[in-house]
mmCIF file of all heavy atoms in Angstrom:
data_model
loop_
_atom_site.group_PDB
_atom_site.id
_atom_site.type_symbol
_atom_site.label_atom_id
_atom_site.label_comp_id
_atom_site.label_asym_id
_atom_site.label_seq_id
_atom_site.Cartn_x
_atom_site.Cartn_y
_atom_site.Cartn_z
ATOM 1 N N ASP A 88 66.391 98.969 141.078
ATOM 2 C CA ASP A 88 66.073 99.155 142.487
ATOM 3 C C ASP A 88 67.338 98.958 143.317
ATOM 4 O O ASP A 88 68.300 98.316 142.878
ATOM 5 C CB ASP A 88 64.995 98.168 142.944
ATOM 6 C CG ASP A 88 63.620 98.471 142.367
ATOM 7 O OD1 ASP A 88 63.438 99.578 141.810
ATOM 8 O OD2 ASP A 88 62.741 97.600 142.464
ATOM 9 N N ILE A 89 67.349 99.506 144.538
ATOM 10 C CA ILE A 89 68.540 99.451 145.396
ATOM 11 C C ILE A 89 68.171 98.827 146.735
ATOM 12 O O ILE A 89 67.205 99.237 147.376
ATOM 13 C CB ILE A 89 69.124 100.858 145.634
ATOM 14 C CG1 ILE A 89 69.506 101.518 144.301
ATOM 15 C CG2 ILE A 89 70.339 100.790 146.568
ATOM 16 C CD1 ILE A 89 69.941 102.977 144.447
ATOM 17 N N ILE A 90 68.963 97.843 147.152
ATOM 18 C CA ILE A 90 68.841 97.271 148.490
ATOM 19 C C ILE A 90 70.069 97.675 149.296
ATOM 20 O O ILE A 90 71.209 97.489 148.850
ATOM 21 C CB ILE A 90 68.736 95.731 148.437
ATOM 22 C CG1 ILE A 90 67.453 95.313 147.712
ATOM 23 C CG2 ILE A 90 68.760 95.138 149.850
ATOM 24 C CD1 ILE A 90 67.316 93.803 147.543
ATOM 25 N N ILE A 91 69.829 98.226 150.464
ATOM 26 C CA ILE A 91 70.898 98.650 151.370
ATOM 27 C C ILE A 91 70.905 97.714 152.578
ATOM 28 O O ILE A 91 69.862 97.474 153.192
ATOM 29 C CB ILE A 91 70.681 100.092 151.870
ATOM 30 C CG1 ILE A 91 70.585 101.064 150.698
ATOM 31 C CG2 ILE A 91 71.779 100.503 152.839
ATOM 32 C CD1 ILE A 91 70.088 102.452 151.104
ATOM 33 N N ASP A 92 72.070 97.188 152.906
ATOM 34 C CA ASP A 92 72.226 96.468 154.173
ATOM 35 C C ASP A 92 72.982 97.387 155.121
ATOM 36 O O ASP A 92 74.178 97.635 154.952
ATOM 37 C CB ASP A 92 72.986 95.156 153.963
ATOM 38 C CG ASP A 92 73.231 94.402 155.276
ATOM 39 O OD1 ASP A 92 72.697 94.833 156.316
ATOM 40 O OD2 ASP A 92 73.944 93.390 155.258
ATOM 41 N N GLY A 93 72.275 97.895 156.128
ATOM 42 C CA GLY A 93 72.883 98.827 157.075
ATOM 43 C C GLY A 93 73.289 98.189 158.382
ATOM 44 O O GLY A 93 73.716 98.885 159.306
ATOM 45 N N GLY A 94 73.159 96.858 158.497
ATOM 46 C CA GLY A 94 73.526 96.176 159.733
ATOM 47 C C GLY A 94 75.017 95.868 159.776
ATOM 48 O O GLY A 94 75.820 96.444 159.047
ATOM 49 N N ASN A 95 75.378 94.938 160.638
ATOM 50 C CA ASN A 95 76.786 94.576 160.796
ATOM 51 C C ASN A 95 77.071 93.241 160.116
ATOM 52 O O ASN A 95 77.493 92.275 160.750
ATOM 53 C CB ASN A 95 77.150 94.502 162.289
ATOM 54 C CG ASN A 95 77.319 95.874 162.907
ATOM 55 O OD1 ASN A 95 77.813 96.793 162.261
ATOM 56 N ND2 ASN A 95 76.899 96.031 164.144
ATOM 57 N N SER A 96 76.862 93.194 158.830
ATOM 58 C CA SER A 96 77.078 91.965 158.076
ATOM 59 C C SER A 96 78.564 91.731 157.811
ATOM 60 O O SER A 96 79.375 92.664 157.804
ATOM 61 C CB SER A 96 76.338 92.016 156.740
ATOM 62 O OG SER A 96 74.947 91.944 156.929
ATOM 63 N N TYR A 97 78.906 90.468 157.561
ATOM 64 C CA TYR A 97 80.259 90.082 157.188
ATOM 65 C C TYR A 97 80.488 90.506 155.747
ATOM 66 O O TYR A 97 79.673 90.227 154.859
ATOM 67 C CB TYR A 97 80.394 88.574 157.337
ATOM 68 C CG TYR A 97 81.792 88.017 157.197
ATOM 69 C CD1 TYR A 97 82.910 88.755 157.590
ATOM 70 C CD2 TYR A 97 81.991 86.747 156.679
ATOM 71 C CE1 TYR A 97 84.183 88.235 157.471
ATOM 72 C CE2 TYR A 97 83.269 86.206 156.562
ATOM 73 C CZ TYR A 97 84.363 86.956 156.957
ATOM 74 O OH TYR A 97 85.628 86.430 156.840
ATOM 75 N N TYR A 98 81.602 91.181 155.498
ATOM 76 C CA TYR A 98 81.819 91.792 154.182
ATOM 77 C C TYR A 98 81.839 90.770 153.049
ATOM 78 O O TYR A 98 81.466 91.084 151.918
ATOM 79 C CB TYR A 98 83.099 92.628 154.194
ATOM 80 C CG TYR A 98 84.381 91.838 154.167
ATOM 81 C CD1 TYR A 98 85.056 91.610 152.974
ATOM 82 C CD2 TYR A 98 84.929 91.317 155.332
ATOM 83 C CE1 TYR A 98 86.234 90.885 152.939
ATOM 84 C CE2 TYR A 98 86.106 90.590 155.317
ATOM 85 C CZ TYR A 98 86.750 90.377 154.132
ATOM 86 O OH TYR A 98 87.917 89.656 154.102
ATOM 87 N N LYS A 99 82.261 89.544 153.325
ATOM 88 C CA LYS A 99 82.266 88.528 152.271
ATOM 89 C C LYS A 99 80.842 88.164 151.843
ATOM 90 O O LYS A 99 80.610 87.816 150.681
ATOM 91 C CB LYS A 99 83.028 87.293 152.730
ATOM 92 C CG LYS A 99 84.531 87.541 152.896
ATOM 93 C CD LYS A 99 85.279 86.280 153.272
ATOM 94 C CE LYS A 99 86.780 86.543 153.408
ATOM 95 N NZ LYS A 99 87.542 85.317 153.766
ATOM 96 N N ASP A 100 79.888 88.267 152.777
ATOM 97 C CA ASP A 100 78.486 88.059 152.411
ATOM 98 C C ASP A 100 78.005 89.168 151.488
ATOM 99 O O ASP A 100 77.198 88.938 150.581
ATOM 100 C CB ASP A 100 77.605 87.995 153.664
ATOM 101 C CG ASP A 100 77.830 86.732 154.479
ATOM 102 O OD1 ASP A 100 78.253 85.718 153.891
ATOM 103 O OD2 ASP A 100 77.587 86.760 155.699
ATOM 104 N N ASP A 101 78.483 90.391 151.714
ATOM 105 C CA ASP A 101 78.120 91.504 150.832
ATOM 106 C C ASP A 101 78.576 91.246 149.402
ATOM 107 O O ASP A 101 77.835 91.484 148.441
ATOM 108 C CB ASP A 101 78.766 92.811 151.326
ATOM 109 C CG ASP A 101 78.218 93.277 152.649
ATOM 110 O OD1 ASP A 101 76.999 93.226 152.837
ATOM 111 O OD2 ASP A 101 79.022 93.703 153.501
ATOM 112 N N VAL A 102 79.813 90.775 149.252
ATOM 113 C CA VAL A 102 80.350 90.521 147.917
ATOM 114 C C VAL A 102 79.492 89.480 147.202
ATOM 115 O O VAL A 102 79.126 89.638 146.025
ATOM 116 C CB VAL A 102 81.813 90.053 148.014
ATOM 117 C CG1 VAL A 102 82.333 89.655 146.631
ATOM 118 C CG2 VAL A 102 82.691 91.150 148.616
ATOM 119 N N ARG A 103 79.140 88.418 147.925
ATOM 120 C CA ARG A 103 78.317 87.357 147.327
ATOM 121 C C ARG A 103 76.931 87.878 146.953
ATOM 122 O O ARG A 103 76.433 87.611 145.858
ATOM 123 C CB ARG A 103 78.204 86.200 148.331
ATOM 124 C CG ARG A 103 77.216 85.110 147.926
ATOM 125 C CD ARG A 103 77.181 83.989 148.950
ATOM 126 N NE ARG A 103 76.976 84.447 150.302
ATOM 127 C CZ ARG A 103 75.787 84.813 150.794
ATOM 128 N NH1 ARG A 103 74.711 84.787 150.014
ATOM 129 N NH2 ARG A 103 75.673 85.191 152.051
ATOM 130 N N ARG A 104 76.307 88.628 147.849
ATOM 131 C CA ARG A 104 74.956 89.133 147.570
ATOM 132 C C ARG A 104 74.971 90.112 146.400
ATOM 133 O O ARG A 104 74.063 90.101 145.555
ATOM 134 C CB ARG A 104 74.387 89.831 148.807
ATOM 135 C CG ARG A 104 74.050 88.895 149.958
ATOM 136 C CD ARG A 104 73.430 89.688 151.097
ATOM 137 N NE ARG A 104 73.404 88.908 152.319
ATOM 138 C CZ ARG A 104 73.861 89.316 153.499
ATOM 139 N NH1 ARG A 104 74.385 90.534 153.614
ATOM 140 N NH2 ARG A 104 73.798 88.542 154.551
ATOM 141 N N ALA A 105 75.966 90.988 146.366
ATOM 142 C CA ALA A 105 76.040 91.969 145.281
ATOM 143 C C ALA A 105 76.128 91.273 143.928
ATOM 144 O O ALA A 105 75.489 91.691 142.955
ATOM 145 C CB ALA A 105 77.232 92.897 145.502
ATOM 146 N N ARG A 106 76.913 90.207 143.858
ATOM 147 C CA ARG A 106 77.034 89.468 142.600
ATOM 148 C C ARG A 106 75.709 88.821 142.210
ATOM 149 O O ARG A 106 75.301 88.839 141.045
ATOM 150 C CB ARG A 106 78.108 88.391 142.739
ATOM 151 C CG ARG A 106 79.530 88.936 142.747
ATOM 152 C CD ARG A 106 80.531 87.839 143.025
ATOM 153 N NE ARG A 106 81.904 88.341 143.010
ATOM 154 C CZ ARG A 106 82.937 87.673 143.510
ATOM 155 N NH1 ARG A 106 82.756 86.483 144.051
ATOM 156 N NH2 ARG A 106 84.142 88.195 143.447
ATOM 157 N N ALA A 107 75.036 88.240 143.202
ATOM 158 C CA ALA A 107 73.762 87.573 142.916
ATOM 159 C C ALA A 107 72.708 88.570 142.444
ATOM 160 O O ALA A 107 71.968 88.312 141.485
ATOM 161 C CB ALA A 107 73.274 86.828 144.162
ATOM 162 N N LEU A 108 72.642 89.736 143.083
ATOM 163 C CA LEU A 108 71.635 90.730 142.728
ATOM 164 C C LEU A 108 71.959 91.417 141.405
ATOM 165 O O LEU A 108 71.049 91.829 140.679
ATOM 166 C CB LEU A 108 71.497 91.769 143.843
ATOM 167 C CG LEU A 108 70.954 91.242 145.176
ATOM 168 C CD1 LEU A 108 70.887 92.350 146.214
ATOM 169 C CD2 LEU A 108 69.581 90.604 145.002
ATOM 170 N N LYS A 109 73.247 91.502 141.090
ATOM 171 C CA LYS A 109 73.635 92.159 139.841
ATOM 172 C C LYS A 109 73.121 91.392 138.630
ATOM 173 O O LYS A 109 72.862 91.969 137.572
ATOM 174 C CB LYS A 109 75.150 92.300 139.778
ATOM 175 C CG LYS A 109 75.625 93.187 138.647
ATOM 176 C CD LYS A 109 77.119 93.476 138.745
ATOM 177 C CE LYS A 109 77.543 94.461 137.660
ATOM 178 N NZ LYS A 109 78.994 94.787 137.765
ATOM 179 N N GLU A 110 72.940 90.082 138.771
ATOM 180 C CA GLU A 110 72.402 89.275 137.677
ATOM 181 C C GLU A 110 70.999 89.719 137.287
ATOM 182 O O GLU A 110 70.553 89.487 136.161
ATOM 183 C CB GLU A 110 72.398 87.800 138.074
ATOM 184 C CG GLU A 110 73.789 87.209 138.249
ATOM 185 C CD GLU A 110 73.748 85.764 138.697
ATOM 186 O OE1 GLU A 110 72.620 85.222 138.859
ATOM 187 O OE2 GLU A 110 74.830 85.159 138.882
ATOM 188 N N ARG A 111 70.302 90.370 138.248
ATOM 189 C CA ARG A 111 68.963 90.883 137.967
ATOM 190 C C ARG A 111 68.965 92.405 137.884
ATOM 191 O O ARG A 111 67.915 93.037 137.924
ATOM 192 C CB ARG A 111 67.995 90.415 139.061
ATOM 193 C CG ARG A 111 67.904 88.882 139.149
ATOM 194 C CD ARG A 111 66.894 88.450 140.188
ATOM 195 N NE ARG A 111 65.624 89.136 139.968
ATOM 196 C CZ ARG A 111 64.800 89.497 140.967
ATOM 197 N NH1 ARG A 111 65.117 89.249 142.218
ATOM 198 N NH2 ARG A 111 63.669 90.097 140.688
ATOM 199 N N ASP A 112 70.168 92.985 137.813
ATOM 200 C CA ASP A 112 70.344 94.444 137.711
ATOM 201 C C ASP A 112 69.787 95.182 138.926
ATOM 202 O O ASP A 112 69.406 96.358 138.829
ATOM 203 C CB ASP A 112 69.709 94.986 136.422
ATOM 204 C CG ASP A 112 70.444 94.527 135.182
ATOM 205 O OD1 ASP A 112 71.689 94.421 135.255
ATOM 206 O OD2 ASP A 112 69.782 94.248 134.168
ATOM 207 N N ILE A 113 69.725 94.511 140.063
ATOM 208 C CA ILE A 113 69.370 95.165 141.327
ATOM 209 C C ILE A 113 70.659 95.604 141.997
ATOM 210 O O ILE A 113 71.615 94.837 142.104
ATOM 211 C CB ILE A 113 68.576 94.214 142.247
ATOM 212 C CG1 ILE A 113 67.243 93.830 141.587
ATOM 213 C CG2 ILE A 113 68.332 94.858 143.611
ATOM 214 C CD1 ILE A 113 66.484 92.749 142.352
ATOM 215 N N GLN A 114 70.696 96.857 142.437
ATOM 216 C CA GLN A 114 71.894 97.406 143.062
ATOM 217 C C GLN A 114 71.938 97.027 144.556
ATOM 218 O O GLN A 114 70.912 97.021 145.229
ATOM 219 C CB GLN A 114 71.925 98.922 142.919
ATOM 220 C CG GLN A 114 71.938 99.405 141.483
ATOM 221 C CD GLN A 114 73.188 98.963 140.748
ATOM 222 O OE1 GLN A 114 74.292 99.051 141.264
ATOM 223 N NE2 GLN A 114 73.004 98.454 139.529
ATOM 224 N N TYR A 115 73.144 96.740 145.032
ATOM 225 C CA TYR A 115 73.337 96.385 146.440
ATOM 226 C C TYR A 115 74.370 97.330 147.043
ATOM 227 O O TYR A 115 75.461 97.511 146.490
ATOM 228 C CB TYR A 115 73.821 94.942 146.553
ATOM 229 C CG TYR A 115 74.051 94.451 147.971
ATOM 230 C CD1 TYR A 115 73.015 93.891 148.712
ATOM 231 C CD2 TYR A 115 75.304 94.544 148.560
ATOM 232 C CE1 TYR A 115 73.223 93.432 150.004
ATOM 233 C CE2 TYR A 115 75.530 94.089 149.853
ATOM 234 C CZ TYR A 115 74.489 93.533 150.565
ATOM 235 O OH TYR A 115 74.702 93.090 151.849
ATOM 236 N N VAL A 116 74.013 97.927 148.160
ATOM 237 C CA VAL A 116 74.905 98.867 148.846
ATOM 238 C C VAL A 116 75.017 98.441 150.304
ATOM 239 O O VAL A 116 74.000 98.218 150.971
ATOM 240 C CB VAL A 116 74.365 100.317 148.749
ATOM 241 C CG1 VAL A 116 75.220 101.273 149.572
ATOM 242 C CG2 VAL A 116 74.302 100.763 147.284
ATOM 243 N N ASP A 117 76.237 98.303 150.796
ATOM 244 C CA ASP A 117 76.437 97.979 152.213
ATOM 245 C C ASP A 117 76.877 99.235 152.951
ATOM 246 O O ASP A 117 77.757 99.968 152.491
ATOM 247 C CB ASP A 117 77.456 96.848 152.390
ATOM 248 C CG ASP A 117 78.791 97.106 151.700
ATOM 249 O OD1 ASP A 117 78.844 97.017 150.461
ATOM 250 O OD2 ASP A 117 79.777 97.392 152.409
#
Side-chain angles (χ1 to χ4, degrees):
D88 289 347
I89 301 173
I90 296 177
I91 303 168
D92 177 7
N95 284 324
S96 290
Y97 189 32
Y98 75 97
K99 292 183 179 180
D100 290 334
D101 293 317
V102 174
R103 172 179 52 78
R104 290 183 194 129
R106 286 174 179 164
L108 295 179
K109 190 171 185 178
E110 294 178 1
R111 300 183 51 214
D112 292 324
I113 297 172
Q114 300 297 315
Y115 180 88
V116 175
D117 54 286

